[in-house]
mmCIF file with all atom_site columns, all heavy atoms in Angstrom:
data_model
loop_
_atom_site.group_PDB
_atom_site.id
_atom_site.type_symbol
_atom_site.label_atom_id
_atom_site.label_alt_id
_atom_site.label_comp_id
_atom_site.label_asym_id
_atom_site.label_entity_id
_atom_site.label_seq_id
_atom_site.pdbx_PDB_ins_code
_atom_site.Cartn_x
_atom_site.Cartn_y
_atom_site.Cartn_z
_atom_site.occupancy
_atom_site.B_iso_or_equiv
_atom_site.pdbx_formal_charge
_atom_site.auth_seq_id
_atom_site.auth_comp_id
_atom_site.auth_asym_id
_atom_site.auth_atom_id
_atom_site.pdbx_PDB_model_num
ATOM 1   N N   . LEU A 1 8   ? 29.700  4.186  -31.053 1.00 0.00 ? 8   LEU A N   1
ATOM 2   C CA  . LEU A 1 8   ? 29.176  5.341  -31.767 1.00 0.00 ? 8   LEU A CA  1
ATOM 3   C C   . LEU A 1 8   ? 30.082  6.545  -31.636 1.00 0.00 ? 8   LEU A C   1
ATOM 4   O O   . LEU A 1 8   ? 30.241  7.327  -32.557 1.00 0.00 ? 8   LEU A O   1
ATOM 5   C CB  . LEU A 1 8   ? 27.792  5.635  -31.204 1.00 0.00 ? 8   LEU A CB  1
ATOM 6   C CG  . LEU A 1 8   ? 27.000  6.793  -31.779 1.00 0.00 ? 8   LEU A CG  1
ATOM 7   C CD1 . LEU A 1 8   ? 26.910  6.667  -33.289 1.00 0.00 ? 8   LEU A CD1 1
ATOM 8   C CD2 . LEU A 1 8   ? 25.607  6.800  -31.168 1.00 0.00 ? 8   LEU A CD2 1
ATOM 9   N N   . ASP A 1 23  ? 23.125  19.383 -48.778 1.00 0.00 ? 23  ASP A N   1
ATOM 10  C CA  . ASP A 1 23  ? 23.218  19.988 -50.105 1.00 0.00 ? 23  ASP A CA  1
ATOM 11  C C   . ASP A 1 23  ? 23.188  21.502 -49.976 1.00 0.00 ? 23  ASP A C   1
ATOM 12  O O   . ASP A 1 23  ? 22.640  22.034 -49.025 1.00 0.00 ? 23  ASP A O   1
ATOM 13  C CB  . ASP A 1 23  ? 22.009  19.584 -50.950 1.00 0.00 ? 23  ASP A CB  1
ATOM 14  C CG  . ASP A 1 23  ? 22.098  18.130 -51.362 1.00 0.00 ? 23  ASP A CG  1
ATOM 15  O OD1 . ASP A 1 23  ? 23.208  17.584 -51.319 1.00 0.00 ? 23  ASP A OD1 1
ATOM 16  O OD2 . ASP A 1 23  ? 21.057  17.566 -51.721 1.00 0.00 ? 23  ASP A OD2 1
ATOM 17  N N   . ARG A 1 55  ? 2.977   22.964 -39.720 1.00 0.00 ? 55  ARG A N   1
ATOM 18  C CA  . ARG A 1 55  ? 2.162   21.822 -39.282 1.00 0.00 ? 55  ARG A CA  1
ATOM 19  C C   . ARG A 1 55  ? 1.690   21.122 -40.567 1.00 0.00 ? 55  ARG A C   1
ATOM 20  O O   . ARG A 1 55  ? 1.040   21.730 -41.405 1.00 0.00 ? 55  ARG A O   1
ATOM 21  C CB  . ARG A 1 55  ? 0.994   22.363 -38.475 1.00 0.00 ? 55  ARG A CB  1
ATOM 22  C CG  . ARG A 1 55  ? -0.093  21.370 -38.048 1.00 0.00 ? 55  ARG A CG  1
ATOM 23  C CD  . ARG A 1 55  ? 0.419   20.364 -37.081 1.00 0.00 ? 55  ARG A CD  1
ATOM 24  N NE  . ARG A 1 55  ? 0.517   19.133 -37.836 1.00 0.00 ? 55  ARG A NE  1
ATOM 25  C CZ  . ARG A 1 55  ? 0.466   17.916 -37.327 1.00 0.00 ? 55  ARG A CZ  1
ATOM 26  N NH1 . ARG A 1 55  ? 0.390   17.757 -36.036 1.00 0.00 ? 55  ARG A NH1 1
ATOM 27  N NH2 . ARG A 1 55  ? 0.531   16.864 -38.090 1.00 0.00 ? 55  ARG A NH2 1
ATOM 28  N N   . GLY A 1 60  ? -5.738  13.197 -47.305 1.00 0.00 ? 60  GLY A N   1
ATOM 29  C CA  . GLY A 1 60  ? -6.171  12.206 -48.284 1.00 0.00 ? 60  GLY A CA  1
ATOM 30  C C   . GLY A 1 60  ? -5.057  11.715 -49.187 1.00 0.00 ? 60  GLY A C   1
ATOM 31  O O   . GLY A 1 60  ? -5.312  11.044 -50.181 1.00 0.00 ? 60  GLY A O   1
ATOM 32  N N   . CYS A 1 62  ? -1.784  9.717  -50.813 1.00 0.00 ? 62  CYS A N   1
ATOM 33  C CA  . CYS A 1 62  ? -1.462  8.297  -50.965 1.00 0.00 ? 62  CYS A CA  1
ATOM 34  C C   . CYS A 1 62  ? -0.242  7.950  -50.123 1.00 0.00 ? 62  CYS A C   1
ATOM 35  O O   . CYS A 1 62  ? 0.222   6.831  -50.150 1.00 0.00 ? 62  CYS A O   1
ATOM 36  C CB  . CYS A 1 62  ? -1.179  7.972  -52.427 1.00 0.00 ? 62  CYS A CB  1
ATOM 37  S SG  . CYS A 1 62  ? 0.428   8.519  -52.989 1.00 0.00 ? 62  CYS A SG  1
ATOM 38  N N   . ASN A 1 63  ? 0.309   8.900  -49.428 1.00 0.00 ? 63  ASN A N   1
ATOM 39  C CA  . ASN A 1 63  ? 1.495   8.882  -48.561 1.00 0.00 ? 63  ASN A CA  1
ATOM 40  C C   . ASN A 1 63  ? 2.799   9.109  -49.327 1.00 0.00 ? 63  ASN A C   1
ATOM 41  O O   . ASN A 1 63  ? 3.850   9.216  -48.709 1.00 0.00 ? 63  ASN A O   1
ATOM 42  C CB  . ASN A 1 63  ? 1.558   7.678  -47.596 1.00 0.00 ? 63  ASN A CB  1
ATOM 43  C CG  . ASN A 1 63  ? 2.058   6.363  -48.211 1.00 0.00 ? 63  ASN A CG  1
ATOM 44  O OD1 . ASN A 1 63  ? 2.809   6.343  -49.179 1.00 0.00 ? 63  ASN A OD1 1
ATOM 45  N ND2 . ASN A 1 63  ? 1.635   5.269  -47.619 1.00 0.00 ? 63  ASN A ND2 1
ATOM 46  N N   . GLU A 1 68  ? 8.150   12.418 -49.148 1.00 0.00 ? 68  GLU A N   1
ATOM 47  C CA  . GLU A 1 68  ? 9.052   13.476 -49.588 1.00 0.00 ? 68  GLU A CA  1
ATOM 48  C C   . GLU A 1 68  ? 9.119   14.622 -48.585 1.00 0.00 ? 68  GLU A C   1
ATOM 49  O O   . GLU A 1 68  ? 10.155  15.259 -48.432 1.00 0.00 ? 68  GLU A O   1
ATOM 50  C CB  . GLU A 1 68  ? 8.632   13.981 -50.970 1.00 0.00 ? 68  GLU A CB  1
ATOM 51  C CG  . GLU A 1 68  ? 8.766   12.919 -52.074 1.00 0.00 ? 68  GLU A CG  1
ATOM 52  C CD  . GLU A 1 68  ? 10.200  12.434 -52.302 1.00 0.00 ? 68  GLU A CD  1
ATOM 53  O OE1 . GLU A 1 68  ? 10.875  12.070 -51.319 1.00 0.00 ? 68  GLU A OE1 1
ATOM 54  O OE2 . GLU A 1 68  ? 10.639  12.419 -53.470 1.00 0.00 ? 68  GLU A OE2 1
ATOM 55  N N   . TYR A 1 77  ? 18.842  17.551 -46.838 1.00 0.00 ? 77  TYR A N   1
ATOM 56  C CA  . TYR A 1 77  ? 18.036  18.753 -47.072 1.00 0.00 ? 77  TYR A CA  1
ATOM 57  C C   . TYR A 1 77  ? 18.051  19.657 -45.836 1.00 0.00 ? 77  TYR A C   1
ATOM 58  O O   . TYR A 1 77  ? 17.996  20.873 -45.954 1.00 0.00 ? 77  TYR A O   1
ATOM 59  C CB  . TYR A 1 77  ? 16.605  18.372 -47.450 1.00 0.00 ? 77  TYR A CB  1
ATOM 60  C CG  . TYR A 1 77  ? 16.564  17.577 -48.730 1.00 0.00 ? 77  TYR A CG  1
ATOM 61  C CD1 . TYR A 1 77  ? 16.358  16.203 -48.721 1.00 0.00 ? 77  TYR A CD1 1
ATOM 62  C CD2 . TYR A 1 77  ? 16.802  18.205 -49.959 1.00 0.00 ? 77  TYR A CD2 1
ATOM 63  C CE1 . TYR A 1 77  ? 16.367  15.469 -49.894 1.00 0.00 ? 77  TYR A CE1 1
ATOM 64  C CE2 . TYR A 1 77  ? 16.808  17.481 -51.140 1.00 0.00 ? 77  TYR A CE2 1
ATOM 65  C CZ  . TYR A 1 77  ? 16.596  16.108 -51.098 1.00 0.00 ? 77  TYR A CZ  1
ATOM 66  O OH  . TYR A 1 77  ? 16.610  15.395 -52.256 1.00 0.00 ? 77  TYR A OH  1
ATOM 67  N N   . THR A 1 103 ? -10.195 14.391 -48.828 1.00 0.00 ? 103 THR A N   1
ATOM 68  C CA  . THR A 1 103 ? -11.294 13.426 -48.784 1.00 0.00 ? 103 THR A CA  1
ATOM 69  C C   . THR A 1 103 ? -12.429 14.017 -47.950 1.00 0.00 ? 103 THR A C   1
ATOM 70  O O   . THR A 1 103 ? -12.201 14.848 -47.067 1.00 0.00 ? 103 THR A O   1
ATOM 71  C CB  . THR A 1 103 ? -10.842 12.117 -48.120 1.00 0.00 ? 103 THR A CB  1
ATOM 72  O OG1 . THR A 1 103 ? -10.366 12.406 -46.804 1.00 0.00 ? 103 THR A OG1 1
ATOM 73  C CG2 . THR A 1 103 ? -9.728  11.460 -48.909 1.00 0.00 ? 103 THR A CG2 1
ATOM 74  N N   . ASN A 1 105 ? -13.959 12.487 -45.800 1.00 0.00 ? 105 ASN A N   1
ATOM 75  C CA  . ASN A 1 105 ? -13.786 12.006 -44.429 1.00 0.00 ? 105 ASN A CA  1
ATOM 76  C C   . ASN A 1 105 ? -12.746 12.813 -43.659 1.00 0.00 ? 105 ASN A C   1
ATOM 77  O O   . ASN A 1 105 ? -12.638 12.660 -42.450 1.00 0.00 ? 105 ASN A O   1
ATOM 78  C CB  . ASN A 1 105 ? -13.392 10.514 -44.434 1.00 0.00 ? 105 ASN A CB  1
ATOM 79  C CG  . ASN A 1 105 ? -14.582 9.621  -44.766 1.00 0.00 ? 105 ASN A CG  1
ATOM 80  O OD1 . ASN A 1 105 ? -15.714 10.096 -44.873 1.00 0.00 ? 105 ASN A OD1 1
ATOM 81  N ND2 . ASN A 1 105 ? -14.327 8.324  -44.933 1.00 0.00 ? 105 ASN A ND2 1
ATOM 82  N N   . GLN A 1 108 ? -13.592 17.833 -42.173 1.00 0.00 ? 108 GLN A N   1
ATOM 83  C CA  . GLN A 1 108 ? -13.840 18.461 -40.875 1.00 0.00 ? 108 GLN A CA  1
ATOM 84  C C   . GLN A 1 108 ? -12.562 18.527 -40.038 1.00 0.00 ? 108 GLN A C   1
ATOM 85  O O   . GLN A 1 108 ? -12.291 19.538 -39.381 1.00 0.00 ? 108 GLN A O   1
ATOM 86  C CB  . GLN A 1 108 ? -14.929 17.696 -40.124 1.00 0.00 ? 108 GLN A CB  1
ATOM 87  C CG  . GLN A 1 108 ? -15.339 18.398 -38.849 1.00 0.00 ? 108 GLN A CG  1
ATOM 88  C CD  . GLN A 1 108 ? -16.388 17.631 -38.072 1.00 0.00 ? 108 GLN A CD  1
ATOM 89  O OE1 . GLN A 1 108 ? -16.479 16.411 -38.159 1.00 0.00 ? 108 GLN A OE1 1
ATOM 90  N NE2 . GLN A 1 108 ? -17.193 18.354 -37.311 1.00 0.00 ? 108 GLN A NE2 1
ATOM 91  N N   . SER A 1 139 ? -14.252 11.877 -57.845 1.00 0.00 ? 139 SER A N   1
ATOM 92  C CA  . SER A 1 139 ? -14.704 10.759 -57.022 1.00 0.00 ? 139 SER A CA  1
ATOM 93  C C   . SER A 1 139 ? -15.762 11.240 -56.034 1.00 0.00 ? 139 SER A C   1
ATOM 94  O O   . SER A 1 139 ? -15.711 12.381 -55.556 1.00 0.00 ? 139 SER A O   1
ATOM 95  C CB  . SER A 1 139 ? -13.522 10.159 -56.263 1.00 0.00 ? 139 SER A CB  1
ATOM 96  O OG  . SER A 1 139 ? -13.975 9.337  -55.216 1.00 0.00 ? 139 SER A OG  1
ATOM 97  N N   . TYR A 1 140 ? -16.700 10.331 -55.694 1.00 0.00 ? 140 TYR A N   1
ATOM 98  C CA  . TYR A 1 140 ? -17.715 10.658 -54.680 1.00 0.00 ? 140 TYR A CA  1
ATOM 99  C C   . TYR A 1 140 ? -17.092 10.962 -53.325 1.00 0.00 ? 140 TYR A C   1
ATOM 100 O O   . TYR A 1 140 ? -17.731 11.528 -52.458 1.00 0.00 ? 140 TYR A O   1
ATOM 101 C CB  . TYR A 1 140 ? -18.705 9.488  -54.524 1.00 0.00 ? 140 TYR A CB  1
ATOM 102 C CG  . TYR A 1 140 ? -18.045 8.200  -54.072 1.00 0.00 ? 140 TYR A CG  1
ATOM 103 C CD1 . TYR A 1 140 ? -17.823 7.936  -52.730 1.00 0.00 ? 140 TYR A CD1 1
ATOM 104 C CD2 . TYR A 1 140 ? -17.598 7.265  -55.014 1.00 0.00 ? 140 TYR A CD2 1
ATOM 105 C CE1 . TYR A 1 140 ? -17.185 6.770  -52.326 1.00 0.00 ? 140 TYR A CE1 1
ATOM 106 C CE2 . TYR A 1 140 ? -16.955 6.097  -54.613 1.00 0.00 ? 140 TYR A CE2 1
ATOM 107 C CZ  . TYR A 1 140 ? -16.755 5.859  -53.264 1.00 0.00 ? 140 TYR A CZ  1
ATOM 108 O OH  . TYR A 1 140 ? -16.114 4.717  -52.876 1.00 0.00 ? 140 TYR A OH  1
ATOM 109 N N   . ARG B 2 163 ? -20.181 10.588 -44.423 1.00 0.00 ? 163 ARG B N   1
ATOM 110 C CA  . ARG B 2 163 ? -19.901 11.902 -45.009 1.00 0.00 ? 163 ARG B CA  1
ATOM 111 C C   . ARG B 2 163 ? -19.941 11.906 -46.530 1.00 0.00 ? 163 ARG B C   1
ATOM 112 O O   . ARG B 2 163 ? -19.623 12.907 -47.157 1.00 0.00 ? 163 ARG B O   1
ATOM 113 C CB  . ARG B 2 163 ? -18.522 12.388 -44.547 1.00 0.00 ? 163 ARG B CB  1
ATOM 114 C CG  . ARG B 2 163 ? -18.425 12.579 -43.049 1.00 0.00 ? 163 ARG B CG  1
ATOM 115 C CD  . ARG B 2 163 ? -16.998 12.927 -42.639 1.00 0.00 ? 163 ARG B CD  1
ATOM 116 N NE  . ARG B 2 163 ? -16.837 12.935 -41.186 1.00 0.00 ? 163 ARG B NE  1
ATOM 117 C CZ  . ARG B 2 163 ? -17.079 13.997 -40.423 1.00 0.00 ? 163 ARG B CZ  1
ATOM 118 N NH1 . ARG B 2 163 ? -17.457 15.128 -40.961 1.00 0.00 ? 163 ARG B NH1 1
ATOM 119 N NH2 . ARG B 2 163 ? -16.926 13.917 -39.115 1.00 0.00 ? 163 ARG B NH2 1
ATOM 120 N N   . HIS B 2 204 ? -2.319  13.562 -36.558 1.00 0.00 ? 204 HIS B N   1
ATOM 121 C CA  . HIS B 2 204 ? -1.314  13.159 -35.588 1.00 0.00 ? 204 HIS B CA  1
ATOM 122 C C   . HIS B 2 204 ? -0.240  14.221 -35.436 1.00 0.00 ? 204 HIS B C   1
ATOM 123 O O   . HIS B 2 204 ? -0.133  15.131 -36.238 1.00 0.00 ? 204 HIS B O   1
ATOM 124 C CB  . HIS B 2 204 ? -0.644  11.848 -36.024 1.00 0.00 ? 204 HIS B CB  1
ATOM 125 C CG  . HIS B 2 204 ? -1.601  10.704 -36.104 1.00 0.00 ? 204 HIS B CG  1
ATOM 126 N ND1 . HIS B 2 204 ? -2.263  10.209 -35.021 1.00 0.00 ? 204 HIS B ND1 1
ATOM 127 C CD2 . HIS B 2 204 ? -2.017  9.970  -37.159 1.00 0.00 ? 204 HIS B CD2 1
ATOM 128 C CE1 . HIS B 2 204 ? -3.038  9.212  -35.394 1.00 0.00 ? 204 HIS B CE1 1
ATOM 129 N NE2 . HIS B 2 204 ? -2.914  9.047  -36.692 1.00 0.00 ? 204 HIS B NE2 1
ATOM 130 N N   . GLY B 2 230 ? -10.195 4.886  -42.426 1.00 0.00 ? 230 GLY B N   1
ATOM 131 C CA  . GLY B 2 230 ? -11.163 5.294  -43.446 1.00 0.00 ? 230 GLY B CA  1
ATOM 132 C C   . GLY B 2 230 ? -11.059 6.769  -43.811 1.00 0.00 ? 230 GLY B C   1
ATOM 133 O O   . GLY B 2 230 ? -11.689 7.218  -44.765 1.00 0.00 ? 230 GLY B O   1
ATOM 134 N N   . TYR B 2 231 ? -10.243 7.543  -43.074 1.00 0.00 ? 231 TYR B N   1
ATOM 135 C CA  . TYR B 2 231 ? -10.163 8.984  -43.335 1.00 0.00 ? 231 TYR B CA  1
ATOM 136 C C   . TYR B 2 231 ? -9.597  9.286  -44.720 1.00 0.00 ? 231 TYR B C   1
ATOM 137 O O   . TYR B 2 231 ? -9.812  10.350 -45.273 1.00 0.00 ? 231 TYR B O   1
ATOM 138 C CB  . TYR B 2 231 ? -9.306  9.659  -42.260 1.00 0.00 ? 231 TYR B CB  1
ATOM 139 C CG  . TYR B 2 231 ? -9.944  9.623  -40.900 1.00 0.00 ? 231 TYR B CG  1
ATOM 140 C CD1 . TYR B 2 231 ? -9.687  8.579  -40.011 1.00 0.00 ? 231 TYR B CD1 1
ATOM 141 C CD2 . TYR B 2 231 ? -10.838 10.607 -40.514 1.00 0.00 ? 231 TYR B CD2 1
ATOM 142 C CE1 . TYR B 2 231 ? -10.292 8.532  -38.767 1.00 0.00 ? 231 TYR B CE1 1
ATOM 143 C CE2 . TYR B 2 231 ? -11.457 10.570 -39.273 1.00 0.00 ? 231 TYR B CE2 1
ATOM 144 C CZ  . TYR B 2 231 ? -11.178 9.526  -38.407 1.00 0.00 ? 231 TYR B CZ  1
ATOM 145 O OH  . TYR B 2 231 ? -11.788 9.472  -37.178 1.00 0.00 ? 231 TYR B OH  1
ATOM 146 N N   . HIS B 2 233 ? -10.211 7.535  -47.463 1.00 0.00 ? 233 HIS B N   1
ATOM 147 C CA  . HIS B 2 233 ? -10.952 6.885  -48.553 1.00 0.00 ? 233 HIS B CA  1
ATOM 148 C C   . HIS B 2 233 ? -11.147 7.861  -49.705 1.00 0.00 ? 233 HIS B C   1
ATOM 149 O O   . HIS B 2 233 ? -11.794 8.893  -49.567 1.00 0.00 ? 233 HIS B O   1
ATOM 150 C CB  . HIS B 2 233 ? -12.305 6.380  -48.069 1.00 0.00 ? 233 HIS B CB  1
ATOM 151 C CG  . HIS B 2 233 ? -13.092 5.724  -49.161 1.00 0.00 ? 233 HIS B CG  1
ATOM 152 N ND1 . HIS B 2 233 ? -12.733 4.501  -49.685 1.00 0.00 ? 233 HIS B ND1 1
ATOM 153 C CD2 . HIS B 2 233 ? -14.165 6.131  -49.878 1.00 0.00 ? 233 HIS B CD2 1
ATOM 154 C CE1 . HIS B 2 233 ? -13.575 4.182  -50.661 1.00 0.00 ? 233 HIS B CE1 1
ATOM 155 N NE2 . HIS B 2 233 ? -14.452 5.147  -50.793 1.00 0.00 ? 233 HIS B NE2 1
ATOM 156 N N   . LYS B 2 234 ? -10.557 7.494  -50.847 1.00 0.00 ? 234 LYS B N   1
ATOM 157 C CA  . LYS B 2 234 ? -10.597 8.357  -52.021 1.00 0.00 ? 234 LYS B CA  1
ATOM 158 C C   . LYS B 2 234 ? -11.525 7.808  -53.097 1.00 0.00 ? 234 LYS B C   1
ATOM 159 O O   . LYS B 2 234 ? -11.723 8.435  -54.127 1.00 0.00 ? 234 LYS B O   1
ATOM 160 C CB  . LYS B 2 234 ? -9.183  8.516  -52.601 1.00 0.00 ? 234 LYS B CB  1
ATOM 161 C CG  . LYS B 2 234 ? -8.226  9.186  -51.647 1.00 0.00 ? 234 LYS B CG  1
ATOM 162 C CD  . LYS B 2 234 ? -6.836  9.365  -52.250 1.00 0.00 ? 234 LYS B CD  1
ATOM 163 C CE  . LYS B 2 234 ? -5.862  8.288  -51.858 1.00 0.00 ? 234 LYS B CE  1
ATOM 164 N NZ  . LYS B 2 234 ? -5.560  8.185  -50.431 1.00 0.00 ? 234 LYS B NZ  1
ATOM 165 N N   . GLY B 2 257 ? 1.611   5.203  -51.708 1.00 0.00 ? 257 GLY B N   1
ATOM 166 C CA  . GLY B 2 257 ? 2.748   5.728  -52.453 1.00 0.00 ? 257 GLY B CA  1
ATOM 167 C C   . GLY B 2 257 ? 4.065   5.040  -52.128 1.00 0.00 ? 257 GLY B C   1
ATOM 168 O O   . GLY B 2 257 ? 4.920   4.888  -53.001 1.00 0.00 ? 257 GLY B O   1
ATOM 169 N N   . ASP B 2 258 ? 4.210   4.591  -50.881 1.00 0.00 ? 258 ASP B N   1
ATOM 170 C CA  . ASP B 2 258 ? 5.476   3.945  -50.521 1.00 0.00 ? 258 ASP B CA  1
ATOM 171 C C   . ASP B 2 258 ? 5.618   2.581  -51.191 1.00 0.00 ? 258 ASP B C   1
ATOM 172 O O   . ASP B 2 258 ? 6.716   2.042  -51.264 1.00 0.00 ? 258 ASP B O   1
ATOM 173 C CB  . ASP B 2 258 ? 5.629   3.840  -48.993 1.00 0.00 ? 258 ASP B CB  1
ATOM 174 C CG  . ASP B 2 258 ? 4.403   3.238  -48.321 1.00 0.00 ? 258 ASP B CG  1
ATOM 175 O OD1 . ASP B 2 258 ? 3.574   2.636  -49.024 1.00 0.00 ? 258 ASP B OD1 1
ATOM 176 O OD2 . ASP B 2 258 ? 4.273   3.390  -47.092 1.00 0.00 ? 258 ASP B OD2 1
ATOM 177 N N   . TRP B 2 314 ? 21.006  9.184  -34.044 1.00 0.00 ? 314 TRP B N   1
ATOM 178 C CA  . TRP B 2 314 ? 22.141  9.012  -34.957 1.00 0.00 ? 314 TRP B CA  1
ATOM 179 C C   . TRP B 2 314 ? 21.835  7.977  -36.050 1.00 0.00 ? 314 TRP B C   1
ATOM 180 O O   . TRP B 2 314 ? 22.069  8.213  -37.241 1.00 0.00 ? 314 TRP B O   1
ATOM 181 C CB  . TRP B 2 314 ? 23.385  8.590  -34.166 1.00 0.00 ? 314 TRP B CB  1
ATOM 182 C CG  . TRP B 2 314 ? 24.599  8.479  -35.022 1.00 0.00 ? 314 TRP B CG  1
ATOM 183 C CD1 . TRP B 2 314 ? 25.403  9.502  -35.431 1.00 0.00 ? 314 TRP B CD1 1
ATOM 184 C CD2 . TRP B 2 314 ? 25.118  7.287  -35.602 1.00 0.00 ? 314 TRP B CD2 1
ATOM 185 N NE1 . TRP B 2 314 ? 26.401  9.013  -36.229 1.00 0.00 ? 314 TRP B NE1 1
ATOM 186 C CE2 . TRP B 2 314 ? 26.255  7.664  -36.352 1.00 0.00 ? 314 TRP B CE2 1
ATOM 187 C CE3 . TRP B 2 314 ? 24.756  5.950  -35.567 1.00 0.00 ? 314 TRP B CE3 1
ATOM 188 C CZ2 . TRP B 2 314 ? 27.026  6.740  -37.065 1.00 0.00 ? 314 TRP B CZ2 1
ATOM 189 C CZ3 . TRP B 2 314 ? 25.508  5.030  -36.266 1.00 0.00 ? 314 TRP B CZ3 1
ATOM 190 C CH2 . TRP B 2 314 ? 26.632  5.425  -37.008 1.00 0.00 ? 314 TRP B CH2 1
ATOM 191 N N   . GLU B 2 324 ? 18.295  8.319  -48.889 1.00 0.00 ? 324 GLU B N   1
ATOM 192 C CA  . GLU B 2 324 ? 18.285  9.394  -49.872 1.00 0.00 ? 324 GLU B CA  1
ATOM 193 C C   . GLU B 2 324 ? 19.174  9.027  -51.058 1.00 0.00 ? 324 GLU B C   1
ATOM 194 O O   . GLU B 2 324 ? 18.839  9.312  -52.206 1.00 0.00 ? 324 GLU B O   1
ATOM 195 C CB  . GLU B 2 324 ? 18.739  10.699 -49.210 1.00 0.00 ? 324 GLU B CB  1
ATOM 196 C CG  . GLU B 2 324 ? 18.728  11.917 -50.113 1.00 0.00 ? 324 GLU B CG  1
ATOM 197 C CD  . GLU B 2 324 ? 17.337  12.369 -50.544 1.00 0.00 ? 324 GLU B CD  1
ATOM 198 O OE1 . GLU B 2 324 ? 16.360  12.057 -49.848 1.00 0.00 ? 324 GLU B OE1 1
ATOM 199 O OE2 . GLU B 2 324 ? 17.242  13.025 -51.600 1.00 0.00 ? 324 GLU B OE2 1
ATOM 200 N N   . ARG B 2 328 ? 17.857  8.947  -54.888 1.00 0.00 ? 328 ARG B N   1
ATOM 201 C CA  . ARG B 2 328 ? 18.480  9.758  -55.948 1.00 0.00 ? 328 ARG B CA  1
ATOM 202 C C   . ARG B 2 328 ? 18.949  8.869  -57.101 1.00 0.00 ? 328 ARG B C   1
ATOM 203 O O   . ARG B 2 328 ? 18.867  9.261  -58.271 1.00 0.00 ? 328 ARG B O   1
ATOM 204 C CB  . ARG B 2 328 ? 19.639  10.581 -55.368 1.00 0.00 ? 328 ARG B CB  1
ATOM 205 C CG  . ARG B 2 328 ? 19.142  11.693 -54.472 1.00 0.00 ? 328 ARG B CG  1
ATOM 206 C CD  . ARG B 2 328 ? 20.247  12.562 -53.922 1.00 0.00 ? 328 ARG B CD  1
ATOM 207 N NE  . ARG B 2 328 ? 19.672  13.565 -53.023 1.00 0.00 ? 328 ARG B NE  1
ATOM 208 C CZ  . ARG B 2 328 ? 20.352  14.575 -52.517 1.00 0.00 ? 328 ARG B CZ  1
ATOM 209 N NH1 . ARG B 2 328 ? 21.623  14.743 -52.803 1.00 0.00 ? 328 ARG B NH1 1
ATOM 210 N NH2 . ARG B 2 328 ? 19.756  15.440 -51.711 1.00 0.00 ? 328 ARG B NH2 1
ATOM 211 N N   . HIS B 2 336 ? 12.180  9.084  -61.660 1.00 0.00 ? 336 HIS B N   1
ATOM 212 C CA  . HIS B 2 336 ? 11.232  9.407  -60.587 1.00 0.00 ? 336 HIS B CA  1
ATOM 213 C C   . HIS B 2 336 ? 11.760  8.780  -59.308 1.00 0.00 ? 336 HIS B C   1
ATOM 214 O O   . HIS B 2 336 ? 12.126  7.610  -59.297 1.00 0.00 ? 336 HIS B O   1
ATOM 215 C CB  . HIS B 2 336 ? 9.848   8.851  -60.940 1.00 0.00 ? 336 HIS B CB  1
ATOM 216 C CG  . HIS B 2 336 ? 8.748   9.346  -60.036 1.00 0.00 ? 336 HIS B CG  1
ATOM 217 N ND1 . HIS B 2 336 ? 8.580   8.891  -58.763 1.00 0.00 ? 336 HIS B ND1 1
ATOM 218 C CD2 . HIS B 2 336 ? 7.765   10.255 -60.234 1.00 0.00 ? 336 HIS B CD2 1
ATOM 219 C CE1 . HIS B 2 336 ? 7.524   9.506  -58.215 1.00 0.00 ? 336 HIS B CE1 1
ATOM 220 N NE2 . HIS B 2 336 ? 7.022   10.338 -59.087 1.00 0.00 ? 336 HIS B NE2 1
ATOM 221 N N   . ARG B 2 337 ? 11.801  9.575  -58.236 1.00 0.00 ? 337 ARG B N   1
ATOM 222 C CA  . ARG B 2 337 ? 12.410  9.075  -56.999 1.00 0.00 ? 337 ARG B CA  1
ATOM 223 C C   . ARG B 2 337 ? 11.701  7.843  -56.457 1.00 0.00 ? 337 ARG B C   1
ATOM 224 O O   . ARG B 2 337 ? 12.343  6.925  -55.966 1.00 0.00 ? 337 ARG B O   1
ATOM 225 C CB  . ARG B 2 337 ? 12.419  10.195 -55.943 1.00 0.00 ? 337 ARG B CB  1
ATOM 226 C CG  . ARG B 2 337 ? 13.464  11.265 -56.215 1.00 0.00 ? 337 ARG B CG  1
ATOM 227 C CD  . ARG B 2 337 ? 13.182  12.549 -55.439 1.00 0.00 ? 337 ARG B CD  1
ATOM 228 N NE  . ARG B 2 337 ? 13.074  12.353 -54.004 1.00 0.00 ? 337 ARG B NE  1
ATOM 229 C CZ  . ARG B 2 337 ? 14.096  12.416 -53.143 1.00 0.00 ? 337 ARG B CZ  1
ATOM 230 N NH1 . ARG B 2 337 ? 15.323  12.658 -53.599 1.00 0.00 ? 337 ARG B NH1 1
ATOM 231 N NH2 . ARG B 2 337 ? 13.910  12.255 -51.849 1.00 0.00 ? 337 ARG B NH2 1
#
Side-chain angles (χ1 to χ4, degrees):
Chain A
L8 181 53
D23 288 341
R55 173 66 253 205
C62 76
N63 80 27
E68 295 298 50
Y77 298 104
T103 58
N105 285 354
Q108 187 182 27
S139 164
Y140 61 85
Chain B
R163 298 174 188 273
H204 298 296
Y231 293 91
H233 179 71
K234 297 181 263 298
D258 50 16
W314 184 81
E324 182 67 23
R328 289 182 183 189
H336 191 285
R337 286 162 56 90

